[in-house]
């Protein structure tokens, strides 16, 4: 039977790993660095979530195919001649996909373990944002989550709550998951495209 949750997890891992590897290559990292940044970006949020909820063994330890996949991707990225020319701006789309998938799946897992909507939303945000924050920090960049010119964690938080409400109203897990995920991805992309932010810099006289 096709497992849509597992499929989404793998898509999210690939998307986040790509975003991490693009940044790593732009910083001229060697294959070990490319793998490390890709691994941390893709699996860092889920690792924090599992540690916070005392959920052992960690998910990627139970599913070794995930780090193996990232290792294979790192080899390709390290020796693909055009990879070094990819601009960091190219990470926006895969990063948005990873943010959407892992925010909703993180929140869903927390609900399944009996946590409240508020705690589940916080864990969803952690799952969706922590890997990217580590990626940017290790690559000497200000993480999206801390930038005044970016809407990031707030989109994740809102998407989690939209997922909860849709699940409650529609009583359809698949529909609610799809709506919450698409909301996060689309709003994130629109925010970047049209420079939408929570706070504007005040003009100085």
């Amino acid at each position: 039977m096709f497992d849509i949750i597992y499929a989404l997890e793998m898509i999210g891992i690939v998307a986040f790993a790509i975003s991490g590897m693009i940044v790593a290559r732009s910083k001229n990292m060697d294959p070990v660095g490319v793998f490390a940044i890709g691994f941390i970006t893709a699996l860092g949020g889920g690792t924090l979530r599992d540690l916070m909820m005392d959920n052992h063994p960690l998910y990627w330890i139970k599913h070794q195919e995930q780090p193996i996949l990232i290792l294979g991707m790192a080899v390709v990225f390290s020796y693909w001649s055009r990879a070094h020319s990819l601009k960091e701006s190219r990470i926006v789309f895969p990063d948005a996909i990873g943010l959407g998938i892992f925010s909703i799946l993180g929140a869903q897992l927390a609900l399944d373990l009996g946590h409240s909507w508020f705690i589940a939303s916080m864990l969803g945000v952690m799952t969706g944002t922590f890997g990217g924050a580590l990626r940017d920090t290790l690559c000497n960049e200000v993480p999206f989550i801390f930038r005044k010119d970016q809407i990031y964690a707030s989109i994740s938080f809102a998407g989690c709550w939209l997922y909860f409400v849709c699940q409650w109203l529609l009583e359809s897990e698949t529909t609610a998951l799809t709506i919450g995920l698409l909301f996060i991805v689309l709003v994130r992309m629109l925010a970047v495209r049209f420079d939408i932010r929570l706070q504007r810099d005040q003009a100085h006289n």
Side-chain angles (χ1 to χ4, degrees):
M1 181 178 178
F2 180 71
D3 188 340
I4 188 172
I5 300 300
Y6 184 75
L8 285 173
E9 287 172 348
M10 297 303 288
I11 293 171
I13 286 170
V14 169
F16 259 158
I18 288 174
S19 75
M21 291 176 191
I22 289 175
V23 177
R25 289 291 279 135
S26 73
K27 303 295 184 181
N28 295 316
M29 292 189 184
D30 66 8
V32 174
V34 172
F35 169 71
I37 298 300
F39 178 92
I40 289 169
T41 307
L43 301 176
T47 297
L48 176 64
R49 175 202 64 212
D50 287 345
L51 292 174
M52 294 279 290
M53 294 192 297
D54 196 25
N55 187 31
H56 296 287
L58 300 178
Y59 195 81
W60 59 267
I61 293 178
K62 288 194 294 184
H63 297 274
Q64 66 171 345
E65 67 273 13
Q66 295 178 349
I68 291 173
L69 172 62
I70 296 170
L71 177 60
M73 291 175 63
V75 172
V76 172
F77 254 81
S78 296
Y79 295 101
W80 178 34
S81 59
R82 294 183 59 186
H84 74 279
S85 63
L86 294 175
K87 297 180 180 179
E88 288 189 40
S89 60
R90 294 291 183 91
I91 76 170
V92 173
F93 181 59
D95 185 82
I97 293 175
L99 177 68
I101 290 175
F102 284 118
S103 295
I104 299 302
L105 294 186
Q108 181 195 51
L109 177 60
L111 284 184
D112 290 344
L113 293 176
H115 296 289
S116 69
W117 283 13
F118 179 74
I119 296 301
S121 66
M122 296 299 292
L123 289 167
V125 172
M126 290 179 189
T127 306
T129 64
F130 188 68
L134 284 176
R135 172 199 65 212
D136 295 338
T137 300
L138 292 172
C139 293
N140 200 29
E141 300 285 346
V142 178
F144 285 144
I145 193 173
F146 299 133
R147 296 184 191 177
K148 289 177 61 177
D149 64 339
Q150 300 281 342
I151 303 179
Y152 199 72
S154 55
I155 294 174
S156 171
F157 187 75
C160 289
W161 279 88
L162 178 61
Y163 160 67
F164 301 150
V165 172
C166 288
Q167 186 185 49
W168 177 58
L169 291 176
L170 303 175
E171 297 184 353
S172 171
E173 177 66 26
T174 301
T175 303
L177 188 151
T178 302
I179 292 172
L181 193 161
L182 290 177
F183 171 85
I184 293 174
V185 175
L186 292 176
V187 173
R188 173 63 184 154
M189 294 300 297
L190 289 172
V192 173
R193 174 65 179 82
F194 296 104
D195 191 27
I196 302 169
R197 59 185 77 180
L198 292 178
Q199 181 182 9
R200 291 282 178 181
D201 293 328
Q202 296 181 352
H204 296 285
N205 294 326

